[in-house]
Amino acid sequence: MNPPDADSPPILSVGTQVVTRVAVRDADGRELRPAGGVGAIMHAPMDREHRYRIRFADGESMTFRRHEIEVLSHHQEGALGAGSGGDLREHVIYRCIVGSRAFGLDDEGSDVDVRGIFLPPAHQHWSLTGVPEVLESPDADECYWELQRFLVLALKANPNILECLFTPLVEHCDPIARELLDLRRCFLSRFIHKTYNGYVLSQFRKLEKTREGGGAIKWKHAMHLIRLLLSAEAALKTGELRLDVGEHRPRLLAIKRGEMAWDEVEAWRLDLQRRFDAAIGRSPLPERPDYERVNAFLIEARRSRVNPR
């Protein structure tokens, strides 16, 4: 799963086949592996600040940053949707804006992060080329998940995906997507506690290690970790996932600008995690998401694309 930096492109899944865009060189500049190597992701990071570990056909593994690799299916097609019987962007059923603008934390320099879902005709799924799980624009400001992949991630309480379902900033929503939004409470469960809490805890430990080693703290990342806890705690207490944390905007932006002392940030985090842990036992959320209703929805959505109009 892939929680994280709200302005980052979606994290690619373990097992995704990729092509390297850069050559690997040693400290003296000697080429160890040329660009264009094909491998599979064996470890995916939680955010764009860290690296993917790629295993190649010869068994060797190396690490790469997100911009240094490309999804193999995208590389083969040469452009989004090319070779699949048409531009897959024509089959986008849902488009929304996430990130700082949806959280109430935007300023004049904030990006517009567009996310969404596509549902291609059945014959494209059945074809030799199939369809990719994710469509990304070259600048990574726009991304769409194939419907089934989106639903699987949402059932796992992936924060990036849940934010797409609950953002108030919806640009396009066809009838099938409207049905999905009507079902969005089916995805909320106590899984949120494990998904959000574990991620925030591990990331704060990394930030603390960086700080103790004399490195520069990524304050924007720290801000979004606090923001995740605020939203998740409220979800456990109320049963509703509300993205807007504007009431905490001054303090959160102070973290982003590096104006809040680390000890104060850490104290806020500890208080939130204590409250978060206390909320799980009294949460109105169910233990598990409603897999059955979501599965029924997917089958009907697929059926609607067997004979596309």
Side-chain angles (χ1 to χ4, degrees), residues 5 114 126 172 224:
D5 185 329
V114 178
W126 299 336
H172 171 69
H224 280 300

Side-chain angles (χ1 to χ4, degrees), residues 31-63:
E31 186 176 274
L32 301 178
R33 183 177 285 273
V38 176
I41 295 174
M42 59 183 295
H43 172 75
M46 284 291 199
D47 56 67
R48 65 179 173 186
E49 303 299 334
H50 297 85
R51 294 174 178 266
Y52 291 83
R53 180 163 289 280
I54 310 299
R55 176 178 289 158
F56 297 97
D58 60 6
E60 185 177 19
S61 65
M62 294 181 172
T63 60

Side-chain angles (χ1 to χ4, degrees), residues 155-169:
L155 288 168
K156 294 179 179 180
N158 180 292
N160 285 336
I161 302 298
L162 292 182
E163 286 164 8
C164 291
L165 285 173
F166 288 87
T167 178
L169 305 178

